[in-house]
Amino acid sequence: MFTALELRKQLAFALDAEGSDYYRDDLDYIPAINAAMKWLTSIVNAAYGQGKIGEEFFRELTYSGVFQTSNNSRVSLSSFPSEVWTILAVYPNPDVEVNLNLPVPSTPDINRSYYLSNLIHLTSDYSCKRLSIEEWAVNRDNPFEAGFDSVNVCPDFIRYAYLSPINYNNLSEGVFSQEIEVRPKLQNKKVTVFWVKKPNTITNINDVIGFPNSVFQLLFNKALFYISFKQGDGTNVNSVSSADIQQLLDVI
């Protein structure tokens, strides 16, 4: 990761604005950097969905946590300690280590999920296959597929699956807004989730930008592109940035 200040210094150099107050943090640099971050987020989503980039891209933003599922075998995104960008993996019934320095979380409501902050994931004998909505419906009654749900399955032959976050309760926020579902059902049981934290927008030029260092130049190019709109004179700042961005996107 890197700071917005590092990015601003390179932008000021490219704009020949070092030591000048022509470009301001609040009106120029911060809005341009935030716009570049939003743009990069959408590009990464598309590239990851198409398999053009791997999980290694997210290594600086990847976290794991142990959760207790709800009575419906679901985990709400609202129970995560950070905003979720994407889910990488789900592991049912994990082996965990207890962090004695943290209090045991209260889990009074069986109808909701909880983040168990005092537990550390070690390993698991099971993994979850990610299913589409269509597969989720079909696999329920297919004993040869992951997500088959039956009480008569031998534990050695259980193959878990999960469905990406869905708004089951038509709520825009709250503990039941968007939930991951695991099958066969794990009612009020432990699961480990590996997720990618969504980078926060910056409000101060000293804030840390939550992207890996490998995309520094890409963010610089796009932020420079946005700032160049204000010049309005058709200079090469805009065209050069566009060419550089396209070249880097081709690499990704």
mmCIF file of all heavy atoms in Angstrom, residues 208-229:
data_model
loop_
_atom_site.group_PDB
_atom_site.id
_atom_site.type_symbol
_atom_site.label_atom_id
_atom_site.label_comp_id
_atom_site.label_asym_id
_atom_site.label_seq_id
_atom_site.Cartn_x
_atom_site.Cartn_y
_atom_site.Cartn_z
ATOM 1 N N VAL A 208 -3.876 6.456 3.774
ATOM 2 C CA VAL A 208 -3.298 5.321 3.056
ATOM 3 C C VAL A 208 -4.280 4.846 1.998
ATOM 4 O O VAL A 208 -5.484 4.713 2.260
ATOM 5 C CB VAL A 208 -2.961 4.171 4.022
ATOM 6 C CG1 VAL A 208 -2.509 2.933 3.250
ATOM 7 C CG2 VAL A 208 -1.877 4.596 5.003
ATOM 8 N N ILE A 209 -3.789 4.598 0.803
ATOM 9 C CA ILE A 209 -4.609 4.059 -0.283
ATOM 10 C C ILE A 209 -4.510 2.533 -0.230
ATOM 11 O O ILE A 209 -3.420 1.975 -0.320
ATOM 12 C CB ILE A 209 -4.135 4.587 -1.644
ATOM 13 C CG1 ILE A 209 -4.364 6.104 -1.709
ATOM 14 C CG2 ILE A 209 -4.859 3.885 -2.793
ATOM 15 C CD1 ILE A 209 -3.863 6.749 -2.986
ATOM 16 N N GLY A 210 -5.646 1.890 -0.065
ATOM 17 C CA GLY A 210 -5.660 0.453 0.179
ATOM 18 C C GLY A 210 -5.538 -0.406 -1.054
ATOM 19 O O GLY A 210 -6.191 -1.457 -1.144
ATOM 20 N N PHE A 211 -4.725 -0.031 -1.995
ATOM 21 C CA PHE A 211 -4.443 -0.859 -3.162
ATOM 22 C C PHE A 211 -2.993 -1.325 -3.087
ATOM 23 O O PHE A 211 -2.147 -0.659 -2.491
ATOM 24 C CB PHE A 211 -4.649 -0.071 -4.456
ATOM 25 C CG PHE A 211 -6.083 -0.005 -4.922
ATOM 26 C CD1 PHE A 211 -6.818 1.154 -4.766
ATOM 27 C CD2 PHE A 211 -6.687 -1.098 -5.523
ATOM 28 C CE1 PHE A 211 -8.131 1.228 -5.191
ATOM 29 C CE2 PHE A 211 -8.002 -1.040 -5.954
ATOM 30 C CZ PHE A 211 -8.728 0.125 -5.780
ATOM 31 N N PRO A 212 -2.693 -2.461 -3.695
ATOM 32 C CA PRO A 212 -1.296 -2.918 -3.696
ATOM 33 C C PRO A 212 -0.397 -1.969 -4.474
ATOM 34 O O PRO A 212 -0.848 -1.239 -5.366
ATOM 35 C CB PRO A 212 -1.376 -4.296 -4.372
ATOM 36 C CG PRO A 212 -2.648 -4.284 -5.139
ATOM 37 C CD PRO A 212 -3.591 -3.414 -4.368
ATOM 38 N N ASN A 213 0.886 -1.998 -4.151
ATOM 39 C CA ASN A 213 1.851 -1.100 -4.791
ATOM 40 C C ASN A 213 1.931 -1.304 -6.300
ATOM 41 O O ASN A 213 2.327 -0.391 -7.027
ATOM 42 C CB ASN A 213 3.237 -1.314 -4.180
ATOM 43 C CG ASN A 213 3.304 -0.859 -2.732
ATOM 44 O OD1 ASN A 213 2.608 0.072 -2.341
ATOM 45 N ND2 ASN A 213 4.111 -1.532 -1.933
ATOM 46 N N SER A 214 1.538 -2.480 -6.753
ATOM 47 C CA SER A 214 1.658 -2.791 -8.177
ATOM 48 C C SER A 214 0.773 -1.920 -9.060
ATOM 49 O O SER A 214 1.003 -1.812 -10.269
ATOM 50 C CB SER A 214 1.323 -4.272 -8.424
ATOM 51 O OG SER A 214 0.019 -4.567 -7.964
ATOM 52 N N VAL A 215 -0.266 -1.283 -8.477
ATOM 53 C CA VAL A 215 -1.168 -0.461 -9.290
ATOM 54 C C VAL A 215 -0.923 1.034 -9.071
ATOM 55 O O VAL A 215 -1.739 1.854 -9.494
ATOM 56 C CB VAL A 215 -2.651 -0.795 -9.002
ATOM 57 C CG1 VAL A 215 -2.943 -2.246 -9.317
ATOM 58 C CG2 VAL A 215 -3.016 -0.471 -7.557
ATOM 59 N N PHE A 216 0.183 1.379 -8.421
ATOM 60 C CA PHE A 216 0.481 2.802 -8.177
ATOM 61 C C PHE A 216 0.480 3.588 -9.484
ATOM 62 O O PHE A 216 -0.149 4.637 -9.597
ATOM 63 C CB PHE A 216 1.836 2.937 -7.475
ATOM 64 C CG PHE A 216 2.241 4.362 -7.206
ATOM 65 C CD1 PHE A 216 1.928 4.972 -6.000
ATOM 66 C CD2 PHE A 216 2.938 5.109 -8.164
ATOM 67 C CE1 PHE A 216 2.298 6.285 -5.742
ATOM 68 C CE2 PHE A 216 3.306 6.424 -7.915
ATOM 69 C CZ PHE A 216 2.983 7.013 -6.702
ATOM 70 N N GLN A 217 1.191 3.077 -10.485
ATOM 71 C CA GLN A 217 1.314 3.804 -11.742
ATOM 72 C C GLN A 217 -0.020 3.898 -12.470
ATOM 73 O O GLN A 217 -0.322 4.913 -13.115
ATOM 74 C CB GLN A 217 2.363 3.138 -12.636
ATOM 75 C CG GLN A 217 2.849 4.001 -13.789
ATOM 76 C CD GLN A 217 3.587 5.253 -13.317
ATOM 77 O OE1 GLN A 217 4.211 5.240 -12.251
ATOM 78 N NE2 GLN A 217 3.510 6.318 -14.086
ATOM 79 N N LEU A 218 -0.835 2.858 -12.343
ATOM 80 C CA LEU A 218 -2.149 2.874 -12.987
ATOM 81 C C LEU A 218 -3.047 3.931 -12.348
ATOM 82 O O LEU A 218 -3.741 4.680 -13.043
ATOM 83 C CB LEU A 218 -2.785 1.488 -12.889
ATOM 84 C CG LEU A 218 -4.118 1.285 -13.620
ATOM 85 C CD1 LEU A 218 -3.966 1.596 -15.098
ATOM 86 C CD2 LEU A 218 -4.618 -0.123 -13.418
ATOM 87 N N LEU A 219 -3.031 4.021 -11.016
ATOM 88 C CA LEU A 219 -3.812 5.050 -10.337
ATOM 89 C C LEU A 219 -3.296 6.448 -10.669
ATOM 90 O O LEU A 219 -4.076 7.385 -10.850
ATOM 91 C CB LEU A 219 -3.759 4.831 -8.822
ATOM 92 C CG LEU A 219 -4.760 3.841 -8.226
ATOM 93 C CD1 LEU A 219 -4.522 3.687 -6.733
ATOM 94 C CD2 LEU A 219 -6.185 4.280 -8.486
ATOM 95 N N PHE A 220 -1.980 6.564 -10.744
ATOM 96 C CA PHE A 220 -1.390 7.853 -11.118
ATOM 97 C C PHE A 220 -1.885 8.291 -12.494
ATOM 98 O O PHE A 220 -2.310 9.435 -12.694
ATOM 99 C CB PHE A 220 0.135 7.748 -11.104
ATOM 100 C CG PHE A 220 0.821 8.822 -11.901
ATOM 101 C CD1 PHE A 220 0.907 10.125 -11.424
ATOM 102 C CD2 PHE A 220 1.365 8.536 -13.147
ATOM 103 C CE1 PHE A 220 1.532 11.113 -12.167
ATOM 104 C CE2 PHE A 220 1.992 9.520 -13.891
ATOM 105 C CZ PHE A 220 2.071 10.817 -13.405
ATOM 106 N N ASN A 221 -1.830 7.389 -13.460
ATOM 107 C CA ASN A 221 -2.257 7.728 -14.822
ATOM 108 C C ASN A 221 -3.717 8.154 -14.874
ATOM 109 O O ASN A 221 -4.084 9.114 -15.551
ATOM 110 C CB ASN A 221 -2.029 6.530 -15.740
ATOM 111 C CG ASN A 221 -0.570 6.338 -16.096
ATOM 112 O OD1 ASN A 221 0.213 7.275 -16.062
ATOM 113 N ND2 ASN A 221 -0.198 5.116 -16.418
ATOM 114 N N LYS A 222 -4.570 7.423 -14.156
ATOM 115 C CA LYS A 222 -5.995 7.742 -14.208
ATOM 116 C C LYS A 222 -6.297 9.035 -13.457
ATOM 117 O O LYS A 222 -7.126 9.840 -13.900
ATOM 118 C CB LYS A 222 -6.814 6.585 -13.621
ATOM 119 C CG LYS A 222 -8.298 6.674 -13.951
ATOM 120 C CD LYS A 222 -8.526 6.633 -15.458
ATOM 121 C CE LYS A 222 -10.012 6.679 -15.811
ATOM 122 N NZ LYS A 222 -10.241 6.663 -17.260
ATOM 123 N N ALA A 223 -5.646 9.268 -12.308
ATOM 124 C CA ALA A 223 -5.847 10.518 -11.578
ATOM 125 C C ALA A 223 -5.384 11.706 -12.418
ATOM 126 O O ALA A 223 -6.024 12.763 -12.455
ATOM 127 C CB ALA A 223 -5.096 10.479 -10.247
ATOM 128 N N LEU A 224 -4.270 11.529 -13.113
ATOM 129 C CA LEU A 224 -3.774 12.579 -14.008
ATOM 130 C C LEU A 224 -4.771 12.845 -15.132
ATOM 131 O O LEU A 224 -4.994 13.982 -15.536
ATOM 132 C CB LEU A 224 -2.420 12.164 -14.577
ATOM 133 C CG LEU A 224 -1.681 13.193 -15.440
ATOM 134 C CD1 LEU A 224 -1.358 14.445 -14.645
ATOM 135 C CD2 LEU A 224 -0.402 12.577 -16.008
ATOM 136 N N PHE A 225 -5.385 11.796 -15.604
ATOM 137 C CA PHE A 225 -6.409 11.917 -16.653
ATOM 138 C C PHE A 225 -7.579 12.783 -16.162
ATOM 139 O O PHE A 225 -8.049 13.675 -16.868
ATOM 140 C CB PHE A 225 -6.885 10.529 -17.041
ATOM 141 C CG PHE A 225 -8.025 10.498 -18.016
ATOM 142 C CD1 PHE A 225 -7.801 10.625 -19.380
ATOM 143 C CD2 PHE A 225 -9.328 10.342 -17.571
ATOM 144 C CE1 PHE A 225 -8.849 10.590 -20.279
ATOM 145 C CE2 PHE A 225 -10.380 10.316 -18.469
ATOM 146 C CZ PHE A 225 -10.142 10.443 -19.821
ATOM 147 N N TYR A 226 -8.035 12.541 -14.929
ATOM 148 C CA TYR A 226 -9.158 13.314 -14.397
ATOM 149 C C TYR A 226 -8.785 14.772 -14.172
ATOM 150 O O TYR A 226 -9.571 15.686 -14.463
ATOM 151 C CB TYR A 226 -9.666 12.693 -13.094
ATOM 152 C CG TYR A 226 -10.482 11.432 -13.296
ATOM 153 C CD1 TYR A 226 -10.132 10.239 -12.688
ATOM 154 C CD2 TYR A 226 -11.618 11.447 -14.096
ATOM 155 C CE1 TYR A 226 -10.880 9.083 -12.884
ATOM 156 C CE2 TYR A 226 -12.370 10.302 -14.307
ATOM 157 C CZ TYR A 226 -11.992 9.119 -13.691
ATOM 158 O OH TYR A 226 -12.734 7.989 -13.894
ATOM 159 N N ILE A 227 -7.599 15.009 -13.636
ATOM 160 C CA ILE A 227 -7.172 16.386 -13.414
ATOM 161 C C ILE A 227 -7.053 17.139 -14.734
ATOM 162 O O ILE A 227 -7.358 18.334 -14.829
ATOM 163 C CB ILE A 227 -5.823 16.421 -12.657
ATOM 164 C CG1 ILE A 227 -6.018 15.931 -11.223
ATOM 165 C CG2 ILE A 227 -5.242 17.831 -12.630
ATOM 166 C CD1 ILE A 227 -4.739 15.857 -10.416
ATOM 167 N N SER A 228 -6.641 16.439 -15.779
ATOM 168 C CA SER A 228 -6.433 17.092 -17.072
ATOM 169 C C SER A 228 -7.726 17.630 -17.664
ATOM 170 O O SER A 228 -7.705 18.523 -18.506
ATOM 171 C CB SER A 228 -5.786 16.112 -18.052
ATOM 172 O OG SER A 228 -6.702 15.109 -18.457
ATOM 173 N N PHE A 229 -8.884 17.105 -17.241
ATOM 174 C CA PHE A 229 -10.153 17.628 -17.734
ATOM 175 C C PHE A 229 -10.289 19.119 -17.440
ATOM 176 O O PHE A 229 -10.898 19.871 -18.200
ATOM 177 C CB PHE A 229 -11.329 16.892 -17.077
ATOM 178 C CG PHE A 229 -11.644 15.572 -17.724
ATOM 179 C CD1 PHE A 229 -11.837 14.437 -16.939
ATOM 180 C CD2 PHE A 229 -11.769 15.440 -19.084
ATOM 181 C CE1 PHE A 229 -12.125 13.221 -17.525
ATOM 182 C CE2 PHE A 229 -12.061 14.229 -19.679
ATOM 183 C CZ PHE A 229 -12.239 13.110 -18.891
#
